[in-house]
Amino acid sequence: MARDTLPAGFVAGRPVDSRSGDSLDVVDPWDGTTVATVGVAGAGEVDDAVAAATAAFPAWAATPPAERGAALLALAERVGQRAAEYAEAESRQTGKTLRLATEFDVPGSIDNAVFFAGAARMLEGLASGEYDATHTSLIRREPVGVVGSIAPWNYPLQMAMWKVLPAVAAGNTIVLKPAEITPLTTLMLAEDARAAGFPDGVINVVVGRGPVAGEALIGHPGVGMVSFTGSTPVGRRVMEIAAGRAARVHLELGGKAPFLVYDDADLEAVVHGAVAGALINTGQDCTAATRVYVQGDLYGPVVQGIADLLSTIRMGDPRDPDTDLGPLVTTAQRDRVAAFVDRARGAGARIVAGGEIPGGDLAKGAFYAPTLVTGAGQDSEIVQEEVFGPVLTVLPFSSDAEGVALANDTRYGLAASVWTRDVFRAMAAQREIRSGCVWVNDHIPIVSEMPHGGMKQSGFGKDMSRYSLEEYTVAKHVSWDITGEPRKAWHRTIFADRG
Ligand code: NAD
């Protein structure tokens, strides 16, 4: 995209300029430099995008699944050809390490596209048969229509993919709004969708601010389904607006994942798992391991092990292959994280490692030192609220039942992990923990075939997997009379003996 200002979106296959002339800078949080300037869309551009998606819907819904799948495969191929460019843009706009973007974000996104290319061809109705003597029933799975999607900034490419792929695989058309601070890879995706052969209007992107373009999209009468990934407070607002016209809602919200360590667990696995699980994406991960609970005598060694391992973490240039931890996405996010830790310290918690904004060469970026907090109360803010930074708390517990109760004691329910060598303990915990995903002796890995989504205030709805494909469809019952009789037996309920 050789323009001074990147477009404010892609509508009907073409880049669109901001009508208002408004723009914003995409900033590299490593050093505060401007990576690109992007146009900002408002309600007018959203209207155009919904109109384009509405116009494209009938033909796309009628396109044979094999052809929809072929477009998805071509998209996977395009992204694969530009993998290095995607990884670089993702790293620049978020501050995540190039290593993470190259080994996780981009290949994960490509694999998702390949998965949904196949899944598009697997959509089928469940039942076909006679459930009374006079009718044959069949179920059709039909697309909902125009989907309005909103994505967060932590994994911009993956979140765009998680929104777009199941929607269009199922025959819907989509208008996607990325987070305004991280639009680059979503704009690249829109370009590549056109090159991959998606008809104009099937995949539309608008770059705009949440309360303006976001609310215009969610509130648009032409949008049949709203799919949102982001924070729980904004998710509630999204639900409120969609309720105005009873639109279908899909919400993937915040998390505060417990990491439950029984006293028979493998110490080395626990320490490495907790640090990796807490620091992935600089802790800006809805499933990050943020609440570590350790049973009995293992508590001391785990705290010591985590502190020791955190002291080896190398912060630095996200493009340097030796860097383990990049900056947070913005200095505002860093300051938010710092304020959480400062309040915890003020409330009597112990900061065993980190707990500061690093100086020196790192001062030019949005860095926060990886931080270990102990001694916080279970009901304290640092344990209950989503910090979204490289911060983990460790708390002790005694009985197995107490561990599970502590793990369940938040309003969130997105992900959790259980660490033990005892198969019966693991079985009990995976059953009793209230979250959309439970890992056993690991924390973080995901696969395209399996669903991702929450319970409680982490939202409802599934991303990835065949379950998400179902979310973007409506089950339609078709009931055929097989008697050929002009007067049906049930008419007696109306006409009595005259039937
Ligand atoms: P956010 O809620 O601030 O913003 C998310 C998106 O919503 C952005 O595109 C933003 O522009 C838009 N938005 C903001 N206000 C809006 C409004 N009034 N109306 C419509 N749209 C609006 O979240 P964030 O800070 O970008 O992302 C971090 C959050 O996302 C965390 O809470 C994290 O846990 C969550 N998240 C959840 C999942 C999941 O799968 N459950 C995945 C990734 C991130």
Side-chain angles (χ1 to χ4, degrees):
M1 286 181 278
R3 301 159 59 114
D4 291 331
T5 300
L6 296 176
F10 273 81
V11 173
R14 277 171 287 281
V16 293
D17 290 324
S18 164
R19 285 191 193 173
S20 66
D22 188 9
S23 67
L24 52 83
D25 290 341
V26 178
V27 175
D28 183 342
W30 150 240
D31 57 4
T33 54
T34 297
V35 183
T37 301
V38 66
V40 174
E45 292 87 333
V46 168
D47 262 347
D48 292 348
V50 174
T54 305
F57 175 66
W60 183 245
T63 299
E67 284 178 34
R68 297 204 294 259
L72 286 162
L73 274 184
L75 179 62
E77 205 170 309
R78 289 281 307 178
V79 176
Q81 285 160 357
R82 296 176 75 186
E85 210 184 318
Y86 270 100
E88 171 84 17
E90 199 73 330
S91 170
R92 293 257 174 222
Q93 66 179 349
T94 61
K96 70 177 70 198
T97 63
L98 189 59
R99 183 150 36 99
L100 181 68
T102 305
E103 294 178 16
F104 181 63
D105 299 66
V106 176
S109 298
I110 295 169
D111 185 64
N112 252 267
V114 173
F115 171 79
F116 280 107
R121 308 177 66 171
M122 298 294 289
L123 259 184
E124 54 192 27
L126 263 185
S128 177
E130 290 70 48
Y131 299 93
D132 63 19
T134 54
H135 298 82
T136 294
S137 286
L138 61 94
I139 296 281
R140 300 168 56 91
R141 290 219 77 110
E142 297 194 348
V144 182
V146 174
V147 177
S149 283
I150 296 187
W153 46 256
N154 58 343
Y155 293 102
L157 178 62
Q158 290 203 83
M159 294 303 105
M161 287 290 206
W162 289 14
K163 297 286 166 218
V164 167
L165 299 171
V168 302
N172 302 280
T173 55
I174 187 166
V175 178
L176 170 67
K177 191 198 86 61
E180 55 273 38
I181 58 173
T182 56
L184 302 185
T185 46
T186 309
L187 289 170
M188 290 168 69
L189 190 66
E191 258 183 353
D192 280 335
R194 184 154 211 239
F198 278 94
D200 291 346
V202 173
I203 298 174
N204 306 278
V205 168
V206 286
V207 178
R209 298 188 167 88
V212 183
E215 296 210 5
L217 181 58
I218 299 158
H220 200 292
V223 169
M225 171 174 174
V226 172
S227 169
F228 172 82
T229 299
S231 61
T232 297
V234 178
R236 283 197 216 100
R237 172 85 185 126
V238 167
M239 212 168 164
E240 220 173 79
I241 296 172
R245 60 178 199 292
R248 183 190 282 217
V249 179
H250 169 113
L251 297 178
E252 299 284 353
L253 307 178
K256 188 75 186 173
F259 185 105
L260 189 59
V261 182
Y262 291 103
D263 55 11
D264 65 334
D266 177 329
L267 179 62
E268 184 184 355
V270 164
V271 167
H272 282 79
V275 171
L279 299 190
I280 184 157
N281 211 34
T282 317
Q284 301 159 120
D285 183 306
C286 49
T287 63
T290 52
R291 295 185 291 135
V292 179
Y293 296 101
V294 189
Q295 191 171 34
D297 292 343
L298 208 53
Y299 176 78
V302 167
V303 169
Q304 188 61 52
I306 290 175
D308 290 347
L309 192 53
L310 286 180
S311 71
T312 70
I313 295 297
R314 299 161 300 185
M315 287 183 278
D317 181 348
R319 265 65 65 186
D320 182 338
D322 287 338
T323 295
D324 302 320
L325 192 70
L328 288 118
V329 71
T330 55
T331 49
Q333 182 66 13
R334 176 202 62 196
D335 294 345
R336 187 175 170 272
V337 170
F340 265 111
V341 175
D342 289 346
R343 287 193 296 271
R345 189 189 276 118
R350 190 167 158 245
I351 312 303
V352 178
E356 61 187 12
I357 294 173
D361 195 33
L362 299 178
K364 67 182 182 209
F367 285 90
Y368 194 73
T371 297
L372 170 59
V373 179
T374 61
Q378 171 65 17
D379 57 359
S380 65
E381 181 192 59
I382 197 89
V383 173
Q384 293 291 328
E385 298 298 326
E386 190 176 38
V387 176
F388 233 52
V391 177
L392 73 166
T393 61
V394 185
L395 293 175
F397 72 94
S398 301
S399 70
D400 291 14
E402 184 194 3
V404 169
L406 289 168
N408 281 335
D409 179 29
T410 65
R411 64 192 162 110
Y412 296 109
L414 188 58
S417 64
V418 180
W419 298 75
T420 176
R421 289 186 252 220
D422 182 329
V423 67
F424 297 103
R425 277 178 148 172
M427 276 306 230
Q430 57 86 25
R431 197 173 56 241
E432 290 161 11
I433 288 178
R434 301 276 301 150
S435 66
C437 167
V438 179
W439 288 284
V440 178
N441 293 324
D442 205 349
H443 195 112
I444 292 297
I446 50 176
V447 288
S448 299
E449 292 83 352
M450 289 292 122
H452 171 92
M455 291 183 184
K456 304 196 297 192
Q457 289 192 33
S458 291
F460 44 83
K462 298 293 168 191
D463 283 333
M464 303 199 294
S465 80
R466 68 188 172 88
Y467 299 96
S468 83
L469 199 61
E470 284 181 11
E471 300 239 332
Y472 289 91
T473 65
V474 180
K476 178 192 274 180
H477 175 212
V478 182
S479 179
W480 297 62
D481 169 71
I482 54 172
T483 66
E485 299 292 341
R487 297 183 182 202
K488 319 293 184 198
W490 73 268
H491 287 180
R492 273 204 300 275
T493 59
I494 309 296
F495 306 120
D497 290 346
R498 290 170 290 126

